[in-house]
Amino acid sequence: MASSFNFVIGSAKFIFAPIERCLNCKRNFDENMKVLQKLLKELNTVKEVIELRLSAEIHGGTMQTEEVKNWLDDVQRIKTEIEIIERKAKEKKFLSRVFLGKMVEEKVVELKAFLRKGKAFLGMVKSFKYIIVGGGVAAGYAAREFDRQGLKPGQLAIISKEAVAPYERPTLSKGYLNPNPKAAARLPEFHVCVGSGGDRLLPDWYKEKGIQLILGTEIVKVNLALKTLVEGADAKNMFYLRELEDADKLVESIKMKKYGKAVIIGGGYIGLEVAAAMSINDFDVTMVYPDPWCMPRLFTPTMAAFYESYYENKGIKIIKGTVSVGFNANANGEVKGVKLKDGRVLEADIVVVGVGARPLTALFKGQLEEDKGGIKTDGFFKTSMPGVYAVGDVATFPIKLYNEMRRVEHVDHARKSAKHAVKAIKANETETTIHYHRSQNLGLTGSKMERLLELSLKVGHLKKTRLLQKFQDSILHLRT
C-alpha cells in the first residue's frame, strides 16, 4: 500500500514540476516584457531626439552620419521583432510565453546595448541654449539684442528656410524691383539691422559672434517638450513675395515679360507696393481685391479713396469687391488669364499674389496656446510653454491701448518685439525686471502708422499730413 502511495506522490511531483516550471516561465516572461516595454519606450525617445537633431543638422560634424543611420535602421528592426513577439504571445497565450521567453530575454539584452549606443550618439550632438526658428526680420534683430545682452559664442542658432542671413523684408516689394540695375537694392545692402538705422549684420558678423546660421533648412516638425526640430526636405509666372528667392524669380520674369500685363491679387501693403513697382517696370497693371477699399484694416474709406485715385491716375486699374477663382494657362503651363468670381477674365503675363500669409502655427499645434490665428503670448511675448517665446507676425499679444489681444503684421513690430522678448529672456535668467511695462512703449499699439493715421483723421488734414507724404513717397514712385 505504501509503495503504491509513494508511486502516486512521485507521479504527482512529476506532473506538477513541469507546470511549476511553466508558471515560473510565465512570471519571468511577464516581468521581462514589462522591462522590454520600458526599455523600448526609452529607446524611442532617444531615437526621436537623434532623428530630429540629425535632420535639422544641429551638429558640429562630429556625428558619424552613416553610423547613426545604421543605428536607426537597427532600432526599427528590433521594434518590428518585438511587435512580432507580442503578437505571437497573444495568439498562443499560455504556452507561447514559455517558448518565447528566451527570445524576450535576448531582446532585453539587445535593447540595453542599443540604448547605450544611442546615448553615446546624443553626447556627440551639438545643442544650443537658444534657437530661433525662422530667419526673418525678427530673427536678425533678436540676434543683435542677444549680443547686446552678453551672448556667449555657441549659445545661439538661427534656422532659416532661406539660404541667406536675415534681411529687411520690406525691400523685396520696393527697391528690389527697381528696373534700374544701378538703383536696385541688392544684398548685402539691406541685411538687418539697417531698417532701424543700425549696422548691417553680414554673415561674417554671426560667425564672429559665435552664432550659428543653419540656412536652407525648413522646419516641418517641432517637439517642444524634447526641444527638438525637424527639417523638411503651380503654375509658371505666378508669384508670391515672401522671400528673396521669390523676388529673384519675379525680377527675371519682369525682364522676360517686358511691357506685358500684370495682375496683382490683393490690396494690402504687398499689393500696393508691387503694383507700383510693376507700373514702374512698364507693365499694364490691374489690381484685384475683395474689399470695398484698399488696406481696409488700416485705411478709412476717405484715405483709401485718395490712394486709389492716385493709382488710377498713374494708369493702374483697380477692381474691387471680387476675388480670383481660377487661372487660364497655355500649353507651357504659364498663366495667361485670371478668372474672377464675377465672370470676368483678365489677361495676364505675370500674376503676383499679395493676399497676406497665415502665421505658421501648425508646427506647434497642441503644444502652444493660440489666439486670433496666432500664438498667444503675454506682454513679454512668453508663450504658454516655459522657455518658448513668439515674436513678429506669429505672436498674438495684449495691447493695453485697446485692452485686447491682437496680432500685428508690420516690420516695426517684428523688430521691436524681437528686442523686447530677448530682454525678457535675459531678465528672467538673471531674476531682474524689465524697466518698462508690456507693449505700450514698444510702438506696437496697432503700429505707429495706425496711431498717426487715426490722429490725422481727427484733425482732418489727410492729404497734408507728414505720414501720408512719407507713405506716398515710399510706395508711389510712379512716373508722371
Side-chain angles (χ1 to χ4, degrees):
M1 184 71 178
S3 174
S4 176
F5 181 72
N6 288 334
F7 174 75
V8 172
I9 293 176
S11 298
K13 288 181 178 178
F14 177 77
I15 293 171
F16 286 130
I19 294 176
E20 185 178 2
R21 284 197 297 274
C22 287
L23 291 172
N24 289 335
C25 287
K26 179 183 182 300
R27 282 194 294 269
N28 291 337
F29 178 87
D30 290 340
E31 290 174 2
N32 284 335
M33 282 302 294
K34 289 180 181 177
V35 174
L36 197 66
Q37 292 298 332
K38 182 178 179 181
L39 290 172
L40 188 60
K41 184 177 181 180
E42 186 177 356
L43 185 65
N44 280 333
T45 300
V46 174
K47 175 178 177 288
E48 184 175 0
V49 174
I50 288 177
E51 283 179 326
L52 297 177
R53 291 184 178 176
L54 182 65
S55 296
E57 298 183 351
I58 306 178
H59 56 84
T62 55
M63 178 181 279
Q64 301 299 315
T65 307
E66 198 60 39
E67 187 178 359
V68 174
K69 288 181 178 178
N70 291 336
W71 179 85
L72 292 171
D73 290 340
D74 286 337
V75 170
Q76 189 58 48
R77 173 186 58 79
I78 195 173
K79 286 175 64 178
T80 302
E81 292 172 354
I82 292 172
E83 289 174 0
I84 293 173
I85 291 174
E86 291 175 331
R87 188 168 62 251
K88 287 184 176 180
K90 291 178 181 178
E91 290 173 355
K92 297 185 178 180
K93 297 182 180 178
F94 183 82
L95 289 179
S96 64
R97 299 170 186 268
V98 178
F99 298 120
L100 296 174
K102 186 171 179 60
M103 293 178 62
V104 173
E105 291 176 359
E106 292 173 350
K107 292 305 172 190
V108 168
V109 174
E110 197 172 355
L111 274 178
K112 288 180 178 178
F114 275 122
L115 264 175
R116 285 194 297 271
K117 195 168 186 178
K119 289 178 179 178
F121 285 140
L122 281 180
M124 292 188 286
V125 179
K126 185 177 181 182
S127 59
F128 300 92
K129 185 174 183 180
Y130 311 106
I131 292 180
I132 298 174
V133 180
V137 174
Y141 281 79
R144 182 179 68 172
E145 189 59 33
F146 267 117
D147 178 60
R148 288 176 174 176
Q149 295 288 331
L151 182 75
K152 295 179 181 179
Q155 287 187 327
L156 173 64
I158 298 175
I159 305 176
S160 176
K161 179 182 176 182
E162 293 194 74
V164 296
Y167 56 87
E168 302 288 350
R169 205 161 297 263
T171 305
L172 296 184
S173 56
K174 297 178 183 178
Y176 204 85
L177 302 181
N178 193 311
N180 183 350
K182 294 182 179 180
R186 290 292 181 268
L187 289 176
E189 179 183 326
F190 57 96
H191 276 299
V192 297
C193 297
V194 294
S196 62
D199 296 328
R200 288 179 297 171
L201 306 186
L202 304 179
D204 285 346
W205 179 87
Y206 297 91
K207 188 174 181 180
E208 291 169 4
K209 300 297 182 180
I211 299 172
Q212 185 162 347
L213 289 176
I214 303 173
L215 304 176
T217 301
E218 180 181 7
I219 300 301
V220 298
K221 182 179 180 182
V222 172
N223 189 319
L224 294 176
L226 294 176
K227 296 189 183 301
T228 48
L229 315 170
V230 171
E231 66 167 292
D234 312 37
K236 298 177 183 177
N237 64 306
M238 284 186 62
F239 302 93
Y240 295 89
L241 198 58
R242 296 169 181 165
E243 300 176 355
L244 189 68
E245 184 180 1
D246 299 328
D248 282 332
K249 291 178 180 178
L250 179 55
V251 168
E252 287 303 311
S253 188
I254 287 173
K255 294 177 182 177
M256 294 175 61
K257 304 290 184 179
K258 198 70 176 176
Y259 306 113
K261 295 181 181 294
V263 175
I264 313 300
I265 300 175
Y269 278 115
I270 297 297
L272 288 169
E273 292 173 356
V274 173
M278 297 304 287
S279 180
I280 292 172
N281 279 280
D282 298 316
F283 274 78
D284 181 350
V285 181
T286 301
M287 293 182 68
V288 180
Y289 44 88
D291 308 295
W293 62 82
C294 66
M295 296 186 70
R297 289 192 297 173
L298 185 61
F299 285 173
T300 65
T302 304
M303 295 168 63
F306 167 76
Y307 284 105
E308 290 169 354
S309 175
Y310 190 96
Y311 269 56
E312 288 171 337
N313 287 337
K314 298 298 182 181
I316 296 175
K317 295 179 283 294
I318 297 177
I319 300 176
K320 299 179 284 186
T322 189
V323 295
S324 61
V325 293
F327 305 93
N328 293 330
N330 61 18
N332 296 323
E334 294 183 332
V335 170
K336 300 304 294 182
V338 179
K339 299 178 182 178
L340 302 184
K341 189 175 182 179
D342 61 14
R344 282 179 284 182
V345 178
L346 306 177
E347 290 184 42
D349 297 296
I350 289 178
V351 176
V352 181
V353 181
V355 294
R358 293 178 180 175
L360 184 57
T361 61
L363 289 170
F364 313 101
K365 284 291 183 185
Q367 301 182 78
L368 297 177
E369 188 176 348
E370 298 182 29
D371 188 15
K372 295 185 177 179
I375 296 173
K376 186 177 181 179
T377 71
D378 64 9
F380 299 107
F381 297 98
K382 295 179 184 178
T383 69
S384 57
M385 178 169 285
V388 179
Y389 291 71
V391 297
D393 295 0
V394 77
T396 301
F397 63 101
I399 298 182
K400 292 189 69 177
L401 180 65
Y402 300 112
N403 194 30
E404 67 177 23
M405 301 291 290
R406 283 197 180 185
R407 205 171 53 78
V408 178
E409 296 180 3
H410 194 276
V411 66
D412 193 49
H413 166 55
R415 294 167 181 156
K416 292 181 178 177
S417 62
K419 178 179 178 181
H420 192 53
V422 172
K423 285 188 175 182
I425 290 170
K426 301 305 293 185
N428 185 56
E429 290 176 350
T430 56
E431 297 184 353
T432 58
T433 56
I434 297 179
H435 299 294
Y436 45 84
H437 184 61
R438 292 186 178 270
S439 58
Q440 60 183 6
N441 291 335
L442 286 174
L444 301 177
T445 54
S447 82
K448 288 180 178 178
M449 181 176 291
E450 184 174 349
R451 292 208 312 274
L452 290 174
L453 287 173
E454 288 174 348
L455 179 61
S456 67
L457 179 61
K458 291 178 181 177
V459 298
H461 298 296
L462 299 178
K463 296 183 181 180
K464 297 181 180 180
T465 59
R466 292 174 59 192
L467 175 66
L468 286 174
Q469 186 62 51
K470 180 180 179 182
F471 187 68
Q472 177 176 312
D473 290 343
S474 69
I475 68 173
L476 301 179
H477 301 300
L478 304 179
R479 293 174 180 169
T480 56

